[in-house]
Amino acid sequence: MLPSLLALSAATSALSFGRLPPTSHLSRTSSPLMSDPDFDLIIVGCGVGGHGAALHAVSRGLNVAVCAGQDVGGTCVNRGCVPSKALLAASGRVREMSDQKHLAALGVHVNGDVSFDRQAVADHANGLANRVKGNLEGSLKALGVTVFPEKGSLKAPTEIELVGAGKTISAKNVILATGSVPFVPPGVVTDGKTVFTSDEALKLEWVPDWVAIIGSGYIGLEFSDVYTALGSEVTFIEAMPKMMPFFDRQIAQLADRMLIRPRKIDSYTNVFASEVTPGIPGEKPATIKMIDANTKEHVETLEVDAVMVCTGRKPYSEGLGLENVNIETNRGFVPVDEKMRALDKDGNVIEGLWCIGDLNGKMMLAHAASAQGISAVEN
């Protein structure tokens, strides 16, 4: 998921227009293992879901701590919608100013070629993300939330180890909100330079002449717009029989007409990128071995300047200490009930432990994470 910050404004509305009564079901549950916990609520993770849950819990009068893992804002702010929209805005200006026919129709004339400073564009995106991150952390601290920079790992359902700090903290309740990370399929080797995910692409360390994008979902489509605006040619490699297979049909048709056909974009469909090998920027191409999605027979091998892997996301559950609380994940997702209470491997509710957002896999969208965080606090 590469999500929107709109959810944050919704989460802060209660604070903007007056505090709600200091009551919450979360404050009523206490762990039998500890008689005097450090906090009412500890949130592990600080993306849209964790931040929104913290704000709502404070509005309910709870004493809240967040284990941010040096990542306040999470994917959305640091590796998602904020920097990606900044890149889209900058590259979009390049595209607009390069369209002399359209500009002439408006009575505007540009003398000479339109150029851009790649590093300045990258710095703009990174700087915007850092400003938003700082503002989010500042908002938490201003409201009295204790922000621990360390990652959190479960020692017990309501006991969290601050990884690397040699310290353990406790609470009446714990919400897991660690989000997700890019999924890289088997056979694909990434080096962060010539074969990379959206995490590295947002750094815009270079603009390859020819980029292959594996997967034609919204992340791949978004970056195809950035790269083609900055002069790259793009080739999509899609495993399904058609491009944008999971889009609404009318949206897919519109995107094809506006974002693909007018660009330097071609595509392969119904093929797997079975083997992807990195190259060396400017010296050696990256290679992609493609096989037929049905017969698994070799179709073609491409040599391109760079490969961007946009094959979805997976829950970030590694290192959370889930084994210490008898949780068995399903493809990395933490099982929960309708109230976002975490379930053990036998399907029983784990008292005091909750899980929201991408980590539970119910709906991997920023607004869903925010809503689930509020629901967990209320329940």
Side-chain angles (χ1 to χ4, degrees):
M1 151 192 90
L2 291 178
S4 164
L5 279 178
L6 291 176
L8 295 180
S9 62
T12 57
S13 61
L15 296 172
S16 303
F17 295 99
R19 288 182 175 271
L20 296 172
T23 59
S24 169
H25 292 291
L26 274 184
S27 62
R28 300 174 188 172
T29 304
S30 57
S31 168
L33 299 178
M34 50 189 94
S35 58
D36 190 20
D38 302 311
F39 301 94
D40 293 322
L41 173 64
I42 296 172
I43 302 171
V44 181
C46 196
V48 170
H51 182 269
L55 293 181
H56 192 71
V58 169
S59 77
R60 288 300 198 179
L62 301 185
N63 180 18
V64 182
V66 171
C67 302
Q70 302 288 350
D71 198 35
V72 173
T75 294
C76 178
V77 169
N78 299 293
R79 299 169 301 282
C81 68
V82 172
S84 70
K85 299 308 177 290
L87 291 181
L88 278 171
S91 61
R93 298 297 185 277
V94 175
R95 189 188 301 280
E96 291 169 5
M97 297 301 293
S98 300
D99 190 346
Q100 295 189 9
K101 182 178 180 180
H102 178 65
L103 291 176
L106 300 175
V108 178
H109 300 278
V110 177
N111 295 322
D113 295 332
V114 177
S115 63
F116 64 91
D117 183 332
R118 179 202 56 79
Q119 188 59 56
V121 172
D123 290 344
H124 164 65
N126 184 61
L128 179 61
N130 284 335
R131 287 196 299 275
V132 175
K133 176 182 179 180
N135 289 339
L136 291 181
E137 185 168 1
S139 71
L140 291 174
K141 291 181 177 179
L143 291 169
V145 175
T146 302
V147 179
F148 293 102
E150 296 87 2
K151 293 181 179 180
S153 180
L154 289 163
K155 293 192 69 177
T158 55
E159 195 174 341
I160 298 296
E161 177 188 357
L162 299 178
V163 178
K167 180 180 179 180
T168 299
I169 56 176
S170 61
K172 296 176 182 177
N173 290 272
V174 168
I175 295 178
L176 302 177
T178 51
S180 62
V181 294
F183 169 71
V184 178
V188 177
V189 179
T190 62
D191 65 350
K193 298 292 183 181
T194 60
V195 182
F196 48 81
T197 68
S198 56
D199 284 1
E200 295 83 25
L202 286 164
K203 299 175 184 177
L204 201 69
E205 292 182 344
W206 65 309
V207 180
D209 291 334
W210 184 10
V211 185
I213 298 179
I214 303 175
S216 61
Y218 63 92
I219 298 175
L221 194 63
E222 192 170 54
F223 275 93
S224 74
D225 205 61
V226 172
Y227 280 125
T228 54
L230 299 182
S232 301
E233 295 183 13
V234 169
T235 296
F236 275 107
I237 298 173
E238 173 56 56
M240 301 299 285
K242 63 179 181 178
M243 291 279 288
M244 300 170 283
F246 303 113
F247 283 29
D248 175 89
R249 182 174 59 85
Q250 290 180 316
I251 292 175
Q253 290 173 345
L254 185 64
D256 180 62
R257 186 171 75 246
M258 298 183 65
L259 302 178
I260 293 181
R261 292 183 193 176
R263 317 280 197 243
K264 293 181 178 180
I265 295 175
D266 62 1
S267 63
Y268 293 83
T269 57
N270 209 45
V271 295
F272 290 130
S274 61
E275 294 180 21
V276 178
T277 305
I280 301 174
E283 297 182 22
K284 179 183 176 183
T287 60
I288 308 167
K289 179 182 177 181
M290 296 185 294
I291 61 174
D292 186 274
N294 299 316
T295 66
K296 305 301 185 290
E297 294 181 355
H298 179 253
V299 174
E300 188 175 345
T301 297
L302 292 181
E303 293 186 345
V304 297
D305 296 306
V307 182
M308 184 175 176
V309 184
C310 301
T311 49
R313 298 181 67 82
K314 65 178 183 178
Y316 183 40
S317 54
E318 293 83 359
L320 267 180
L322 299 176
E323 65 280 0
N324 296 329
V325 292
N326 202 29
I327 288 179
E328 188 175 277
T329 62
N330 179 12
R331 295 181 295 116
F333 294 108
V334 173
V336 297
D337 66 5
E338 70 281 356
K339 293 183 178 181
M340 306 302 135
R341 296 179 296 184
L343 306 176
D344 66 19
K345 65 180 181 180
D346 297 317
N348 300 315
V349 170
I350 302 174
E351 291 298 328
L353 185 61
W354 313 70
C355 178
I356 65 172
D358 287 7
L359 186 58
N360 68 32
K362 282 186 172 292
M363 185 176 290
M364 298 178 76
L365 295 171
H367 294 77
S370 181
Q372 289 172 13
I374 294 172
S375 174
V377 171
E378 288 298 312
N379 283 306

